[in-house]
Amino acid sequence: MLSTSLFLLSLITLARADCGFPNGTDSSLHWWQSPGTTTFAAATTVLDVRAVDSSNADVYPIRLPDSIALRVTINNGETQSWNGDNFRLSLKVSQYGSLDGCSWTDVSAFASLVDTPACENGAPCPFPLGDSQITVRTDLSSFELHPFTFQPVINLLKNDSPYQFVYVFSDQSTSRSFGFTLQARALTK
């Protein structure tokens, strides 16, 4: 049964529409500030987002088997720094092109990345106030399709394809949040 499920997932991945790269993602990272998910928008502005390597040099395309490091330039106008258990991070990962055509489709295997402790999942803590550059790290390599297969999800995703990452940072004690959306060409091999 498990091998049949893996086979069907592989066929679906291969059968996705070939839609090319949207928004110029064939040659550069595309990002924008997106609203948060809580009642009040945080007083935080995202000014720039870049994928970087371990020496902080720009890198493109991004590699999903490696930890993704994003250098994010922000202006955080909040009055207190976010930290601790109330500081949360949600990440949604989507791939471009599906059986339905050229649209973004969530990769449901990464659904556990919603409402996670930000300090334990790649966000700097305490979250700095004012103008700063922060590095946000995301590691998708440890997610397995099924606990008994030891098959990383990224091995089943299409290589050299566009992916979208929606990051939402929130402070549960104030119900304030902000986020950014990143679209990038990604390698899975």
Side-chain angles (χ1 to χ4, degrees), residues 153-172:
V153 172
I154 56 175
N155 288 355
L156 298 175
L157 297 177
K158 186 173 181 182
N159 186 44
D160 197 16
S161 187
Y163 288 87
Q164 177 172 278
F165 305 85
V166 179
Y167 289 83
V168 176
F169 299 88
S170 63
D171 179 44
Q172 292 180 331

Side-chain angles (χ1 to χ4, degrees), residues 31-135:
W31 72 271
W32 65 92
Q33 183 156 354
S34 49
T37 58
T38 56
T39 308
F40 304 103
T44 304
T45 304
V46 178
L47 304 170
D48 190 36
V49 178
R50 297 179 180 273
V52 295
D53 63 14
S54 59
S55 63
N56 221 21
D58 289 359
V59 62
Y60 199 79
I62 62 173
R63 289 189 33 81
L64 296 184
D66 302 334
S67 177
I68 302 166
L70 301 175
R71 186 178 61 224
V72 183
T73 305
I74 61 168
N75 176 281
N76 186 358
E78 291 293 308
T79 57
Q80 63 184 27
S81 184
W82 294 354
N83 200 359
D85 291 337
N86 286 324
F87 183 29
R88 310 300 284 183
L89 169 63
S90 290
L91 173 61
K92 182 170 75 170
V93 180
S94 303
Q95 56 188 354
Y96 191 66
S98 67
L99 295 175
D100 294 331
C102 299
S103 61
W104 293 102
T105 305
D106 293 351
V107 180
S108 60
F110 298 123
S112 64
L113 294 170
V114 173
D115 194 33
T116 62
C119 299
E120 298 170 17
N121 289 288
C125 286
F127 200 73
L129 297 174
D131 292 332
S132 60
Q133 281 191 340
I134 61 171
T135 300

